[in-house]
Amino acid sequence: MTTALNEATNQQENTLHPVTFEVLKNAFATSVDLMSEQILRTCYSFVIYSRDFSSALCDAQGNTVMQGSGDIAVHVGTLHFQCKAVLEQFGDDINPGDVFAINDPYRGGTHMNDVSFIRPIFVGDEIVGYAQNKGHWADIGGNVSGSFDVSATEHFSEGLRITPLRVWRKGEFLHDVAQLLVSNTRAPDQALGDLRAQAGATAVCEREVLRLVEKYGKSTVLQAMQETQDYVQRTVLERIADLPHGEWRTVDYLDEDPAKGEGLVPIHIKMRIDDDGIHYDLSGSSPVVATFLNSGYGTTHSAIYAGTKSFFPDVPLNSGFYAAVTAEIGEEGTVVNAGWPHAVTGFCSGPYEKIMNGIFELWSAIMPERAMACAFNLEYLLVGGHDARSDAHDYFMWYDWMAGGWGGRATKDGSSATSPVFGTGLAVQPVEGQERLNPVLTTSHNIAVDSAGPGKHRGGFGVQKGGTLTDATSTVMSYCCDRGRSVTWGINGGLPSIPHGVWLNRGTDNERYLGATFSNVPIVPGDTFTRPSAGGGGFGDPMERDIEAVLEDVIDGYVSLERARKDYGVVIHEIDAELDQYEVDHAATQEARDDIRHNRQKWLQEAPEQVAQWYLEGKIDVHDAVRQYGVILDWGTAELFPKTTEQYRESMQKRSAVYWNE
């Protein structure tokens, strides 16, 4: 499915005075941003308050006129699909004062936790546009608290699917409809508060658009809506006219399909640039996996738009952009176009960021000055049960995500402890707020040492976070992530980061590695859990990294002495750690770098069984296994994944080893 503006309209000449056009274009952006400000001040959910929401103004046909300037990337490119779904469902039966709800991932939505409210904007008896706010509800029902059931294969296990539904009719609040929605969540009072807050936010946008109509006239505002979309499409086409035309390909992976045993699951991305625009083809990607890490057509398009938009940062985002960027995603039944009723809640940790990072890699070849290696994978840790700190024993959902590292870039290191590419506007939740709302104590939250992928320009560093369950009953834990096996990769010779994954009660007799995706794991008060977010992949050969830059990372406590030697060939001696006094051994450094250059191709050929044995015996660690040998294991048991290792080594050869010189 592709999105295109009306051809006849798209070809018509712009008629507004440039100043009027610019004023209205920016006024549309303001009307959407005011929705965001409203929802921040009125929402009930801590998740939405942490900016897991987006807003948009659409025209009367459902095309996006403007997105919010602080919206998270994952909602980009889905809001117009949902608006059009409402139009298709209700047709002429749309009235002033109506507000509609939708979360249907099979009608262009994201996942069922993301609930949108859409308000038509009338001038007299004519619809001039639609205001929409989408927010992530902390729970939408389903098998597990937080509604993230890794084992789900169909949407019936994931929660309440809301097809286009009227919640206000001609200004009258339909209490029974709203009660039906919120009663299917584990926190109905919170959900009802968010429902009212989101609908109220759309009224703010309506007010602003009507103010513009009163000042400039209806026809002028409608013309500005169309010209704003035309402007974006024209700008993108003008930009690509100066770029190389041709075709580029890459592949990235999900960790596994549980129904098929170990082995990475490929997502193929082909991109073509020509005079007509930017065209993607993902139709060769793998069939759906037997878990919830699949993507619907809306979110796959969103990943394509968001990934491409990263290389056009100054261009506004609306349906004009979608007209210049088209995609073929193939028939239903694949990980990038799952279709009903396949489970898709985990798309965000599954195909979404794989597509975005693959697009980053493709555009790095076209715009080498903006090149960037792979970023860490979005991850959610959910702990849910009954809060025993009060007599009521209410449900609680500790719903946590972390910042992490972005990939090293062509001229500088990657960003550290940054929100995921999935949602660059997403804020890390304040620990103090989490602890007040949930019986979970945060025990650590710090930069993860040695988490950055080594390179001439290293990736950004990830974060390590630990927690302890306190006063709770009937509690389970779930984790939505990936890249425990398809580890965050480097490019142009750069090395990988570290695997994602959760440890339960690490360092005790009850230690257990749970991996990068699991759900419904029972935990009891006193249980501890910890996990890192990966850093970004490295850019360029680590042997070319400035020695002083490695020294500074060691002084800052971001890189250990051991990894400085193993990853960068820089030998550093500690003089006085408390005074940050370290010394580079230049002769030993030259020798170490020569040794690495001479042997690293051989290391990638080492027998995987031998590497697994070394890891089991404690002779090497996870960094050695991934970065030196390209071997993927179960990081808890040391079980070798031979097919996965073969695929991962092939990826390292193409992205890293081919750029190394002895």
Side-chain angles (χ1 to χ4, degrees):
M1 179 179 291
T2 59
T3 301
L5 299 179
N6 179 274
E7 207 170 298
T9 305
N10 206 24
Q11 292 175 352
Q12 73 180 34
E13 295 184 2
N14 294 338
T15 58
L16 292 181
H17 188 281
V19 173
T20 303
F21 166 72
E22 195 66 27
V23 168
L24 286 172
K25 175 169 69 71
N26 287 285
F28 296 149
T30 299
S31 71
V32 177
D33 286 342
L34 286 172
M35 274 198 280
S36 299
E37 292 300 316
Q38 175 80 0
I39 195 70
L40 278 173
R41 287 160 173 76
T42 57
C43 66
Y44 278 52
S45 166
F46 203 51
V47 177
I48 293 180
Y49 181 74
S50 297
R51 301 202 70 94
D52 197 342
F53 68 85
S54 295
S55 303
L57 170 64
C58 296
D59 65 18
Q61 291 73 47
N63 298 310
T64 303
V65 175
M66 194 63 68
Q67 292 256 177
S69 59
D71 286 355
I72 65 172
V74 70
H75 294 164
V76 166
T78 65
L79 301 182
H80 67 292
F81 287 134
Q82 294 194 292
C83 191
K84 290 175 181 290
V86 169
L87 271 65
E88 292 168 3
Q89 183 82 15
F90 288 93
D92 295 333
D93 185 20
I94 298 176
N95 312 290
D98 285 353
V99 179
F100 303 92
I102 180 174
N103 73 349
D104 191 344
Y106 313 108
R107 300 286 293 271
T110 45
H111 51 200
M112 285 179 281
N113 291 77
D114 287 339
V115 183
S116 285
F117 290 87
I118 300 171
R119 178 187 298 270
I121 303 172
F122 277 82
V123 175
D125 58 357
E126 180 182 357
I127 297 175
V128 297
Y130 293 86
Q132 180 175 176
N133 178 270
K134 175 184 283 191
H136 185 116
W137 289 12
D139 186 272
I140 195 70
N143 285 348
V144 301
S145 294
S147 311
F148 274 51
D149 182 4
V150 171
S151 65
T153 58
E154 295 184 335
H155 93 263
F156 307 107
S157 301
E158 299 186 286
L160 179 66
R161 174 187 172 198
I162 307 170
T163 57
L165 180 72
R166 202 187 322 254
V167 187
W168 271 264
R169 180 191 297 274
K170 299 181 180 179
E172 178 188 356
F173 182 48
L174 305 180
H175 293 270
D176 53 345
V177 174
Q179 196 62 40
L180 174 65
L181 296 181
V182 303
S183 295
N184 279 278
T185 77
R186 290 173 173 84
D189 292 342
Q190 182 183 100
L192 183 60
D194 287 337
L195 181 154
R196 289 181 176 276
Q198 290 178 257
T202 62
V204 172
C205 182
E206 177 189 43
R207 178 196 69 200
E208 291 301 302
V209 171
L210 294 179
R211 183 179 63 82
L212 295 174
V213 169
E214 183 178 0
K215 183 174 182 179
Y216 293 95
K218 180 178 69 175
S219 61
T220 299
V221 170
L222 292 176
Q223 182 67 24
M225 287 182 175
Q226 182 59 56
E227 290 192 15
T228 298
Q229 297 172 66
D230 295 344
Y231 163 77
V232 171
Q233 182 180 8
R234 185 171 62 250
T235 300
V236 174
L237 294 178
E238 289 173 352
R239 296 277 181 89
I240 65 173
D242 297 327
L243 297 176
H245 288 194
E247 188 172 285
W248 295 262
R249 298 170 183 257
T250 191
V251 60
D252 204 353
Y253 302 92
L254 302 181
D255 279 355
E256 64 170 330
D257 181 347
K260 298 180 180 178
E262 68 96 5
L264 301 178
V265 178
I267 297 171
H268 294 279
I269 307 170
K270 180 171 67 176
M271 181 180 72
R272 187 181 80 256
I273 298 178
D274 58 30
D275 291 337
D276 295 327
I278 304 163
H279 314 283
Y280 291 92
D281 187 345
L282 280 67
S283 58
S285 298
S286 297
V288 290
V289 292
T291 178
F292 75 161
L293 295 174
N294 298 297
S295 180
Y297 74 85
T299 49
T300 291
H301 279 86
S302 168
I304 291 168
Y305 299 143
T308 308
K309 176 68 169 63
S310 300
F311 289 81
F312 300 86
D314 58 319
V315 177
L317 189 64
N318 60 29
S319 287
F321 193 88
Y322 312 151
V325 179
T326 65
E328 171 56 57
I329 63 173
E331 297 294 324
E332 288 187 355
T334 70
V335 292
V336 298
N337 188 15
W340 181 88
H342 296 291
V344 296
T345 293
F347 81 91
C348 41
S349 293
Y352 192 89
E353 291 194 339
K354 311 304 187 301
I355 295 170
M356 284 193 71
N357 279 294
I359 288 174
F360 291 165
E361 184 182 19
L362 296 178
W363 280 92
S364 292
I366 299 166
M367 295 182 177
E369 72 281 2
R370 296 183 59 83
M372 186 177 77
C374 185
F376 85 106
N377 205 74
L378 172 75
E379 52 88 65
Y380 291 121
L381 184 62
L382 298 91
V383 177
H386 293 276
D387 190 341
R389 296 176 301 174
S390 67
D391 293 337
H393 277 227
D394 292 330
Y395 268 109
F396 76 92
M397 275 82 66
W398 187 80
Y399 191 98
D400 189 54
W401 58 81
M402 289 200 294
W406 285 36
R409 293 167 283 182
T411 60
K412 62 183 73 173
D413 294 339
S415 298
S416 297
T418 303
S419 57
V421 296
F422 155 96
T424 51
L426 200 61
V428 173
Q429 298 183 57
V431 168
E432 297 82 359
Q434 287 182 317
E435 291 179 343
R436 181 171 182 175
L437 295 172
N438 305 283
V440 177
L441 177 68
T442 296
T443 55
S444 63
H445 196 195
N446 51 273
I447 294 290
V449 178
D450 295 327
S451 59
K456 179 179 180 179
H457 302 292
R458 60 157 172 75
F461 292 99
V463 174
Q464 184 91 12
K465 190 171 184 179
T468 301
L469 183 67
T470 59
D471 301 315
T473 60
S474 305
T475 306
V476 296
M477 180 165 63
S478 303
Y479 191 52
C480 174
C481 192
D482 203 58
R483 294 213 189 274
R485 303 178 188 181
S486 57
V487 184
T488 304
W489 35 264
I491 63 173
N492 290 44
L495 291 177
S497 173
I498 60 172
H500 284 273
V502 177
W503 287 86
L504 184 64
N505 297 318
R506 192 166 196 183
T508 72
D509 293 339
N510 297 322
E511 179 179 277
R512 182 181 171 194
Y513 180 67
L514 299 176
T517 51
F518 60 85
S519 62
N520 232 18
V521 174
I523 59 174
V524 298
D527 279 344
T528 63
F529 40 90
T530 183
R531 90 273 193 194
S533 61
F539 180 94
D541 189 345
M543 297 303 102
E544 297 178 8
R545 183 162 177 79
D546 181 74
I547 292 173
E548 292 300 315
V550 178
L551 176 62
E552 284 300 313
D553 282 341
V554 170
I555 291 172
D556 290 339
Y558 296 153
V559 173
S560 67
L561 293 173
E562 180 183 22
R563 295 312 323 168
R565 176 177 57 82
K566 287 186 174 182
D567 293 335
Y568 298 101
V570 177
V571 180
I572 300 173
H573 301 300
E574 178 185 306
I575 307 301
D576 189 327
E578 290 189 2
L579 297 177
D580 287 339
Q581 291 182 352
Y582 297 85
E583 181 179 71
V584 175
D585 186 330
H586 289 278
T589 293
Q590 185 60 54
E591 183 179 346
R593 285 191 159 182
D594 289 344
D595 180 68
I596 292 172
R597 289 190 178 101
H598 181 69
N599 288 297
R600 55 187 172 180
Q601 293 282 4
K602 300 175 186 176
W603 292 333
L604 278 180
Q605 305 301 320
E606 186 69 59
E609 295 80 6
Q610 180 63 71
V611 176
Q613 185 62 34
W614 289 338
Y615 180 82
L616 181 63
E617 295 171 355
K619 294 179 179 178
I620 64 171
D621 64 11
V622 63
H623 302 82
D624 299 321
V626 171
R627 295 174 184 173
Q628 278 187 269
Y629 300 106
V631 171
I632 305 300
L633 311 168
D634 180 303
W635 307 112
T637 66
E639 176 190 355
L640 173 66
F641 298 133
K643 182 178 179 182
T644 301
T645 293
E646 180 182 356
Q647 293 169 291
Y648 196 73
R649 281 183 165 182
E650 181 181 357
S651 172
M652 280 193 70
Q653 286 288 345
K654 292 178 179 179
R655 290 182 164 114
S656 302
V658 71
Y659 295 92
W660 295 338
N661 297 314
E662 288 196 17

